[in-house]
C-alpha cells in the first residue's frame, strides 16, 4: 500500500517526466491565434517562404527526381550543359541563352567542398554564382571577382569551424546546409562550343577530406526528400507550408530573423513544424493570407516595377544588400529566379511598352532602338532575350533565335546614323530587316535586357535603357 510520501514522490516524478516530454516535443502552433492574426501571419510567411519553396522545386528536379527530364545527377558533382538553353528547358524560369551552364547541388552538412576552376582565355567571361536555399547570392567567383587565371575555392556550410587549408585561394560560406553554385561560361558563337566544353571539363569538385588526402568524416544522414509542388500548386495549395517547413530544417535561423520565425511559429510555420489548420476558420484565414500576398505582389509590380521606380537591380543580392526585404526577394524570384547581383549583371526589363501597355504580339509590333553610342555599356557582353507569359520561358520560333546579343553585332544591320534598331514581332519584318528580328510569341510576352559585368555608368544609373516603342 502506497504511503502519502510515496504518492508525493510519484506525483513529483510524473510531473518531471511530463515537463521533460513537453520540453523535448516539437513545438506546435499556438491555439490563441485568431483567424485575423493567422491571415496576416500567413501572408507574411508566404512572401518570405516562396523563394525557398520554388527553389526546392527546381533543386528537387535537378538532383533528386531521376524520372524528371530536368534531372542532372547526384549531389556534390558538377553537371555541365553541352548546349545553350532552349524552349525545351522548362524547370527554370527566364534562363539565359548566352552562356553554357554548369551546376552543383551542394550538400555541405558533412564537410565543405573544394571547387577547382581552370585558367582560360582572358576575354572569355565566366562566373560562379553562389546561391543559398534562401536564394540569396552570397558570393561570386569568376572573371569579375577572381579573374581568369584559375583557382581553388572552398565552399563551407554554416556548421564548419575549420581553418582555411593550404592551397585554398578563397573560402565561401553558405548560411544554409544545402547550396547551389551556378556557373555561366560565355559562348562567343556557335563554332565556339567545343572550346567552352574544354573549359567546363576543368570545373571540378571534391570533398575537403579528399582534397587533403584524409579520411572522410561520418556521412550526413540521408535526406528523405518530399515531393515538391508544381508552379500552379505553389500559388494556393496549403501544402506550400509543408514544403517550407521541410526545407527550413536545412536553413538555420539567423539572428535577424529570430523574432520573425517566432511569429511564424504561431501558425505552425518553421523547421519541422505542422501548419495549424485545426478549424475551417483557420484554413480559410491561411488561404486568404496566401491570396493577399499575391495581391500585394501584383500591386508592387504595377506601381513599382513597371514604372521603373524599383528596378531588378534591387531584387537580387546578398542578405545584407536586400536588408531582409522579403517582398523584393519574392518579386525577383517570380521575375527570374537565380538572377545575378547587380555588380555581376543588370537586367533592365520590358514588361510594358513606352505608353505603359502590356506587350502583346497578337496585336502589335515593336521596336527597340539604341541611339548612336548608346549600346549597353558592359565589360563583358549584353543581350536582349524574349520570354513568353505567363511561364517566362524561351519562345520557339522558325529561326531558333531566342535573343539578340552583342556578339551578333557583326551580323546586325546598323541604322544610317549608326544606331541599332531591333524589331520585336511575330512575323518577319522583311528580308532586309530579318537580321535584327527578335521573334515574339503569338500573344503576351516580355523581354529582358542583360548587361554582364556592367560598367559603372550602367550600375550608377547614368546610362538609361531606351523605351520599347509600339509601331503604329
Amino acid at each position: 500500500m502506497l504511503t502519502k510520501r510515496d504518492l508525493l514522490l510519484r506525483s513529483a516524478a510524473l510531473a518531471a517526466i511530463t515537463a521533460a516530454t513537453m520540453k523535448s516535443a516539437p513545438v506546435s502552433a499556438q491555439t490563441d491565434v485568431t483567424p485575423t492574426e493567422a491571415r496576416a501571419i500567413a501572408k507574411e510567411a508566404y512572401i518570405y517562404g516562396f523563394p525557398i519553396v520554388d527553389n526546392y522545386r527546381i533543386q528537387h528536379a535537378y538532383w533528386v527526381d531521376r524520372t524528371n527530364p530536368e534531372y542532372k545527377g547526384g549531389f556534390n558533382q558538377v553537371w555541365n550543359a553541352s548546349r545553350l538553353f532552349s524552349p525545351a528547358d522548362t524547370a527554370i524560369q527566364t534562363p539565359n541563352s548566352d552562356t553554357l551552364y554548369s551546376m552543383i547541388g551542394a550538400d555541405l552538412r558533412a564537410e565543405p567542398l573544394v571547387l577547382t576552376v581552370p585558367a582560360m582565355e582572358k576575354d572569355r567571361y565566366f562566373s560562379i554564382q553562389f546561391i543559398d536555399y534562401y536564394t540569396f547570392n552570397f558570393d561570386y567567383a569568376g572573371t569579375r571577382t577572381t579573374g581568369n587565371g584559375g583557382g581553388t575555392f572552398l565552399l563551407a556550410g554554416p556548421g564548419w569551424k575549420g581553418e582555411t587549408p593550404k592551397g585554398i585561394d578563397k573560402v565561401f560560406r553558405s548560411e544554409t546546409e544545402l547550396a547551389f553554385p551556378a556557373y555561366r561560361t560565355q559562348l562567343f558563337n556557335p563554332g565556339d562550343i567545343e572550346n567552352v566544353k574544354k573549359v567546363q571539363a576543368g570545373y571540378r569538385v571534391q570533398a575537403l577530406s579528399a582534397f587533403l588526402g584524409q579520411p572522410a568524416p561520418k556521412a550526413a544522414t540521408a535526406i528523405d526528400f518530399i515531393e515538391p509542388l508544381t508552379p500552379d500548386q505553389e500559388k494556393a495549395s496549403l501544402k506550400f507550408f509543408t514544403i517550407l517547413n521541410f526545407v527550413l530544417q536545412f536553413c538555420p535561423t539567423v539572428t535577424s530573423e529570430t523574432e520573425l520565425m517566432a511569429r511564424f511559429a504561431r501558425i505552425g510555420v518553421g523547421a519541422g513544424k505542422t501548419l495549424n489548420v485545426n478549424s475551417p476558420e483557420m484554413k480559410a484565414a491561411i488561404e486568404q493570407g496566401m491570396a493577399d500576398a499575391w495581391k500585394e505582389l501584383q500591386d508592387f509590380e504595377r506601381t513599382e516595377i513597371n514604372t521603373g521606380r524599383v528596378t531588378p537591380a534591387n531584387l537580387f543580392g546578398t542578405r545584407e544588400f536586400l536588408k531582409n526585404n522579403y517582398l523584393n526577394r519574392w518579386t525577383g524570384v517570380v521575375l527570374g529566379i537565380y538572377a545575378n547581383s547587380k555588380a555581376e549583371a543588370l537586367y533592365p526589363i520590358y514588361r510594358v511598352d513606352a505608353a505603359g501597355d502590356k506587350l502583346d504580339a497578337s496585336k502589335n509590333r515593336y521596336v527597340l532602338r539604341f541611339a548612336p553610342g548608346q549600346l549597353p555599356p558592359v565589360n563583358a557582353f549584353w543581350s536582349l532575350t524574349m520570354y513568353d507569359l505567363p511561364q517566362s520561358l524561351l519562345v520557339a520560333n522558325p529561326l531558333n533565335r531566342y535573343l539578340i546579343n552583342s556578339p551578333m553585332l557583326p551580323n546586325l544591320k546598323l541604322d544610317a546614323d549608326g544606331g541599332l534598331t531591333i524589331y520585336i514581332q511575330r512575323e518577319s519584318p522583311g528580308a532586309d530587316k530579318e537580321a535584327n528580328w527578335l521573334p515574339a510569341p503569338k500573344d503576351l510576352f516580355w523581354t529582358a535586357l542583360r548587361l554582364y559585368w556592367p560598367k559603372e555608368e550602367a550600375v550608377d544609373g547614368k546610362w538609361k535603357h531606351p523605351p520599347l516603342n509600339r509601331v503604329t
Side-chain angles (χ1 to χ4, degrees):
M1 185 173 179
L2 295 174
T3 65
K4 183 176 181 180
R5 181 174 181 275
D6 292 332
L7 290 171
L8 289 172
L9 289 173
R10 173 177 285 188
S11 177
L14 287 171
I17 292 171
T18 301
T21 301
M22 292 179 64
K23 185 176 181 180
S24 61
V27 178
S28 60
Q30 296 180 15
T31 57
D32 61 347
V33 182
T34 67
T36 300
E37 290 174 321
R39 179 174 178 173
I41 295 171
K43 174 188 174 182
E44 187 179 14
Y46 186 84
I47 292 172
Y48 171 87
F50 188 94
I52 298 170
V53 171
D54 201 46
N55 169 70
Y56 178 75
R57 173 183 63 83
I58 296 168
Q59 298 299 307
H60 189 275
Y62 282 176
W63 317 113
V64 180
D65 184 3
R66 294 176 180 271
T67 67
N68 194 300
E70 299 287 349
Y71 181 72
K72 313 299 183 191
F75 281 85
N76 295 346
Q77 53 187 286
V78 180
W79 173 85
N80 293 310
S82 59
R83 59 171 178 79
L84 294 173
F85 269 50
S86 76
D89 299 286
T90 60
I92 183 173
Q93 311 96 292
T94 62
N96 88 56
S97 197
D98 300 286
T99 67
L100 264 66
Y101 283 99
S102 301
M103 306 174 185
I104 300 173
D107 183 347
L108 307 172
R109 294 174 301 151
E111 60 178 318
L113 298 177
V114 176
L115 281 57
T116 302
V117 171
M120 65 190 78
E121 311 96 317
K122 65 179 182 180
D123 57 343
R124 186 183 301 282
Y125 169 85
F126 89 102
S127 68
I128 307 176
Q129 175 188 6
F130 292 100
I131 309 163
D132 64 24
Y133 267 42
Y134 293 113
T135 69
F136 290 121
N137 301 332
F138 61 89
D139 218 326
Y140 277 88
T143 304
R144 178 183 65 88
T145 54
T146 57
N148 281 23
T152 304
F153 310 111
L154 187 76
L155 174 58
W160 187 69
K161 308 298 182 186
E163 298 292 328
T164 302
K166 184 178 180 181
I168 296 296
D169 297 310
K170 186 175 180 179
V171 175
F172 299 94
R173 294 183 178 272
S174 171
E175 287 183 349
T176 58
E177 296 174 338
L178 305 177
F180 180 44
Y183 300 57
R184 295 172 176 87
T185 309
Q186 183 181 5
L187 179 74
F188 295 132
N189 53 61
D192 186 42
I193 190 76
E194 294 303 320
N195 296 323
V196 174
K197 289 180 181 179
K198 290 178 183 178
V199 173
Q200 290 177 314
Y203 294 148
R204 298 178 182 175
V205 61
Q206 60 187 142
L208 176 60
S209 58
F211 175 78
L212 296 175
Q214 298 176 352
K218 181 181 178 181
T221 304
I223 300 173
D224 185 13
F225 290 98
I226 61 177
E227 192 70 18
L229 299 176
T230 67
D232 284 341
Q233 291 171 335
E234 288 177 352
K235 293 180 179 179
S237 172
L238 291 183
K239 290 183 179 179
F240 174 95
F241 294 104
T242 301
I243 302 292
L244 177 59
N245 289 351
F246 173 79
V247 182
L248 285 174
Q249 297 177 94
F250 309 103
C251 305
T253 299
V254 298
T255 302
S256 64
E257 293 183 347
T258 301
E259 292 183 6
L260 182 76
M261 298 311 296
R263 188 159 62 252
F264 292 170
R266 297 187 67 201
I267 63 168
V269 172
K273 291 182 169 56
T274 301
L275 184 68
N276 177 12
V277 285
N278 298 333
S279 69
E281 292 77 15
M282 285 295 290
K283 180 177 181 293
I286 292 171
E287 290 173 338
Q288 290 164 351
M290 297 171 73
D292 292 343
W294 280 106
K295 176 65 166 57
E296 180 161 346
L297 179 68
Q298 291 164 1
D299 291 343
F300 183 73
E301 183 178 343
R302 176 176 52 83
T303 61
E304 305 297 322
I305 300 297
N306 291 348
T307 60
R309 292 167 60 179
V310 174
T311 69
N314 299 314
L315 308 179
F316 307 97
T318 62
R319 179 185 292 277
E320 292 72 25
F321 173 76
L322 289 174
K323 297 181 174 61
N324 285 3
N325 186 322
Y326 305 116
L327 180 59
N328 277 16
R329 184 178 72 181
W330 180 27
T331 305
V333 164
V334 172
L335 291 178
I337 192 170
Y338 307 141
N340 280 294
S341 304
K342 68 177 183 179
E344 197 68 39
L346 286 177
Y347 303 91
I349 62 174
Y350 296 95
R351 307 280 288 190
V352 296
D353 63 22
D357 297 323
K358 291 182 178 179
L359 304 178
D360 188 344
S362 71
K363 301 176 181 178
N364 304 304
R365 294 174 291 139
Y366 304 87
V367 294
L368 181 67
R369 184 176 190 271
F370 297 99
Q374 289 299 306
L375 288 174
V378 292
N379 293 297
F381 65 97
W382 61 264
S383 72
L384 179 72
T385 307
M386 173 65 64
Y387 298 106
D388 66 5
L389 281 172
Q391 292 87 359
S392 290
L393 300 175
L394 297 172
V395 175
N397 63 83
L399 298 183
N400 294 323
R401 179 184 294 165
Y402 315 122
L403 55 82
I404 288 179
N405 62 18
S406 53
M408 296 167 63
L409 280 171
N411 299 317
L412 301 179
K413 291 187 176 182
L414 299 182
D415 301 332
D417 63 359
L420 175 66
T421 299
I422 298 174
Y423 302 92
I424 301 170
Q425 56 192 67
R426 284 183 60 192
E427 306 296 337
S428 171
D432 59 328
K433 300 175 180 177
E434 197 163 276
N436 295 23
W437 175 35
L438 181 58
K442 62 183 180 180
D443 41 39
L444 298 176
F445 69 92
W446 67 284
T447 64
L449 182 62
R450 288 179 167 88
L451 284 67
Y452 286 95
W453 192 3
K455 291 184 177 179
E456 188 59 33
E457 58 264 37
V459 176
D460 65 18
K462 292 179 180 177
W463 176 85
K464 303 292 185 183
H465 61 283
L468 186 64
N469 290 301
R470 184 170 64 244
V471 177
T472 58

